[in-house]
Amino acid sequence: MSVDDALRSAGGVLRRQTSTVLPYYALVAATGDVTRLPMLVGVVVALVALASTGRLEPLLDDLASVNPELLAPDSPASLPPAVGERLAAVLFSPTVVVPLVLAFGLALLVSVLASGVTRAAALSAVDAALDERDPLDAGVAGMRRWKTFAGLVVVRWALLLAAGIPLLAAVVGGAGALGGTTDPAALDQGTVVAVLAAVVGGLVTLFAVVTVFALLAFAGPAAVVDDRSLVGAVRRSAGVPFAHPVGFLLYGVVVVGSYVALAIAAGLFGIAGVSRLVTVSSAFLVSPLLDGVAVSLYAGWTEGSESGESTESDGASESPDESGGSDASDESNDERVVAEESADESGFVFGADGTATGSQPSPETERGIESTGATETGGVTERAGEMESGAETAGLVAGVRGALTGGVRELGTFLRAGWGYVVVSAATLLVGIAGGWTATVDSGVSIDPPADPASVFGVVPVGPFVNLAVNNWFVATTAGFSGLFGGVPTLGTLLFNGALVGAVAGVVDPVTFIAFVGPHGIIELPAIAVAGGVGLRLGHVAWGVWRGTRAKSALADELGRTWRLVVGLLVVFVVAGFVEAFVTPQVAAAVLG
């Protein structure tokens, strides 16, 4: 398996299996909502504790009495000393510190567990798509590997923290050497030593970081393709750079090149004023593409079930996925190894001389890539390529159109059959709005409307329109998919976003608020409530699967339906974003004069 073949395989998966693979990357993106929930709870607990002890209101009064124009935005020292002392006394009191520290620790734990579930599901779905199996079913079945992937998260971060020790030691040592003397000559010499130490420490840390990423690059694919435990996956992944050094380096070039391209795109998007496209591109294009390449390469480089040889090198007895998981590909024709050659103890194919073999399985037999049989040259081949490219473009356009129209139809069906979930979601959103308004309406803070409401987004607000539409859709998507975890993160997201809206309403004149929020809010807020309802239904189904009252296939079907629904909501948020960028400022200007 060559890197070029792996790229074509991964690209083909994104084209052909978009609606069955990307739902799991929406789950990965929703991990942020799941992680944020404990921190939100910690903040609320701290505020309630302060309010119950009578320490919150005096602090708010102090802050309200400060003239914002006298504050330097980049200098906390510009805060009046008395107010600053009272603020520090409150923020660093046990009443605030204890719940926040506990919330932070819980957030880390939740992040690891949620990442384990979502990453296991995503890579299992990619592996299934490459094997031409059902990604939705395989993703749900692959969630059973959550312990392995959660362990990989812990191992990776532990090793990265350890890799930073040389740099930290060099910086601390250099600072200590500089701070221990006042002699100018000694300071100059100490400065040189400190700089050299920092450079050496930085280089050692950089090498260690690269080594960590290199040795763990294929741990996820190993866990899925070979159904390995944590130790086995790490061991198999660590063998890849030594067994296939050239292919591994080329894969590294692809990874680095992808992120460089993403950084360049981020710069261009920033110049164009559409920076939110970077988040969506990273989540739904770069991540699945690189995962597809990694899984395809690993599967082509390692010995699969076709070789009939034992690959248990980690001493653990690991059974294949009972639900048709990553090793259940005996019925397919794709070759994952060169069967004639011998394999070393870690399962990688080597030539007779003990070096990594340079031969590769043909593209026709690798991960569903079919031979075109084309041997023509010149104009015939060029014309055929142009025709194929045109057909692919037409198919892509038709696919996007079909996904959008299908999503809108799915929305209509959901609103008729799942209206109860939407009612609960809307009520939760309203509770958040009421809570935010209550918290700020008596704060004494007031925000004046802009001097020129009509130009708040500029003369031609194309960039703000795109950013608003993409941001709101991404928030709705993560709110919907975070519902997998019992619907609780969805409720937290609804309360949080509702509180933000209510908090703004509490510090803005009611007429101004309605003028600036009303035109697009009548579209955007119901759409967010619908997204919340989608997440609550997903949580309901997931809860049934966890309790054993529903089949796993029901969860797979619901994940696919959730994706179709959020695709349909994209149309709604595009309309809302257009109204917010182009219409709302004009309405506000007319209302406010």
Side-chain angles (χ1 to χ4, degrees):
M1 167 64 71
S2 68
V3 175
D4 180 64
D5 290 342
L7 277 168
R8 288 191 286 121
S9 294
V13 163
L14 285 181
R15 290 194 303 271
R16 297 188 305 270
Q17 301 278 10
T18 303
S19 61
T20 54
V21 170
L22 292 189
Y24 290 103
Y25 285 88
L27 275 180
V28 174
T31 303
D33 285 29
V34 181
T35 303
R36 183 176 59 199
L37 183 60
M39 291 303 302
L40 293 177
V41 173
V43 171
V44 171
V45 170
L47 290 175
V48 171
L50 289 175
S52 63
T53 56
R55 302 172 66 186
L56 180 61
E57 187 172 352
L59 181 63
L60 294 178
D61 292 339
D62 286 339
L63 293 176
S65 64
V66 177
N67 185 356
E69 296 180 356
L70 301 179
L71 298 179
D74 57 349
S75 177
S78 62
L79 197 68
V83 176
E85 290 175 2
R86 284 193 291 269
L87 179 62
V90 170
L91 293 181
F92 293 101
S93 66
T95 306
V96 174
V97 172
V98 171
L100 290 185
V101 169
L102 292 176
F104 180 74
L106 183 59
L108 286 179
L109 177 61
V110 168
S111 176
V112 169
L113 298 179
S115 297
V117 172
T118 57
R119 286 295 296 162
L123 281 184
S124 298
V126 168
D127 180 63
L130 290 166
D131 275 345
E132 298 184 354
R133 293 180 282 114
D134 183 8
L136 288 173
D137 285 336
V140 172
M143 290 179 185
R144 67 179 179 83
R145 302 185 180 96
W146 67 269
K147 292 181 182 178
T148 299
F149 280 82
L152 287 174
V153 172
V154 174
V155 169
R156 180 177 288 108
W157 280 107
L159 291 177
L160 289 175
L161 288 175
I165 292 177
L167 177 60
L168 179 63
V171 172
V172 172
L178 289 176
T181 180
T182 57
D183 181 64
L187 280 175
D188 291 340
Q189 184 178 1
T191 301
V192 173
V193 172
V195 170
L196 289 176
V199 170
V200 173
L203 291 175
V204 172
T205 291
L206 178 62
F207 176 78
V209 168
V210 171
T211 301
V212 170
F213 279 109
L215 295 181
L216 298 181
F218 289 90
V224 170
V225 174
D226 291 338
D227 202 12
R228 293 277 165 167
S229 65
L230 174 61
V231 175
V234 171
R235 186 171 297 179
R236 294 297 293 266
S237 177
V240 172
F242 303 100
H244 297 277
V246 176
F248 180 80
L249 288 175
L250 291 176
Y251 168 73
V253 170
V254 170
V255 173
V256 174
S258 297
Y259 284 108
V260 168
L262 186 64
I264 294 173
L268 296 176
F269 288 157
I271 294 173
V274 291
S275 56
R276 288 299 291 169
L277 287 176
V278 177
T279 302
V280 175
S281 300
S282 176
F284 297 117
L285 178 61
V286 176
S287 291
L289 182 65
L290 292 180
D291 282 347
V293 172
V295 172
S296 186
L297 282 175
Y298 181 85
W301 285 342
T302 57
E303 183 179 30
S305 59
E306 294 87 352
S307 67
E309 298 182 21
S310 173
T311 58
E312 293 292 335
S313 63
D314 58 358
S317 175
E318 298 163 288
S319 60
D321 188 347
E322 295 176 358
S323 58
S326 56
D327 285 335
S329 57
D330 293 333
E331 298 178 0
S332 66
N333 292 324
D334 76 322
E335 299 280 358
R336 287 182 169 176
V337 294
V338 181
E340 307 84 51
E341 296 177 313
S342 60
D344 76 334
E345 64 176 0
S346 62
F348 293 101
V349 178
F350 279 77
D353 59 353
T355 59
T357 180
S359 62
Q360 300 287 351
S362 62
E364 295 86 348
T365 60
E366 283 292 346
R367 311 293 284 180
I369 298 180
E370 299 179 356
S371 171
T372 61
T375 58
E376 299 89 351
T377 59
V380 175
T381 302
E382 183 178 351
R383 287 194 297 274
E386 291 175 354
M387 293 175 62
E388 182 178 354
S389 177
E392 289 182 356
T393 302
L396 179 62
V397 172
V400 171
R401 186 187 303 116
L404 292 175
T405 54
V408 172
R409 286 196 299 269
E410 192 75 51
L411 271 178
T413 302
F414 174 70
L415 290 175
R416 290 191 297 271
W419 59 269
Y421 297 104
V422 179
V423 169
V424 174
S425 173
T428 305
L429 186 64
L430 288 174
V431 169
I433 292 174
W437 181 83
T438 302
T440 60
V441 67
D442 295 326
S443 64
V445 178
S446 178
I447 299 178
D448 297 327
D452 185 7
S455 61
V456 66
F457 288 128
V459 179
V460 184
V462 175
F465 155 58
V466 174
N467 275 337
L468 291 167
V470 171
N471 179 74
N472 291 333
W473 176 77
F474 192 77
V475 169
T477 298
T478 56
F481 277 93
S482 66
L484 176 73
F485 299 92
V488 177
T490 300
L491 294 174
T493 298
L494 291 168
L495 288 171
F496 175 72
N497 285 279
L500 291 179
V501 174
V504 173
V507 297
V508 175
D509 176 73
V511 175
T512 302
F513 179 79
I514 294 174
F516 273 102
V517 176
H520 63 273
I522 59 175
I523 304 173
E524 184 178 304
L525 293 178
I528 292 176
V530 172
V534 171
L536 294 179
R537 186 169 76 171
L538 177 60
H540 188 192
V541 174
W543 177 254
V545 172
W546 184 78
R547 294 181 58 201
T549 59
R550 290 176 181 260
K552 290 183 179 180
S553 59
L555 180 56
D557 292 340
E558 191 62 34
L559 285 168
R561 186 178 297 111
T562 300
W563 177 256
R564 294 192 297 273
L565 287 167
V566 298
V567 169
L569 283 172
L570 175 60
V571 178
V572 180
F573 283 114
V574 166
V575 174
F578 180 86
V579 172
E580 184 172 2
F582 289 93
V583 178
T584 295
Q586 306 304 321
V587 172
V591 171
L592 301 177

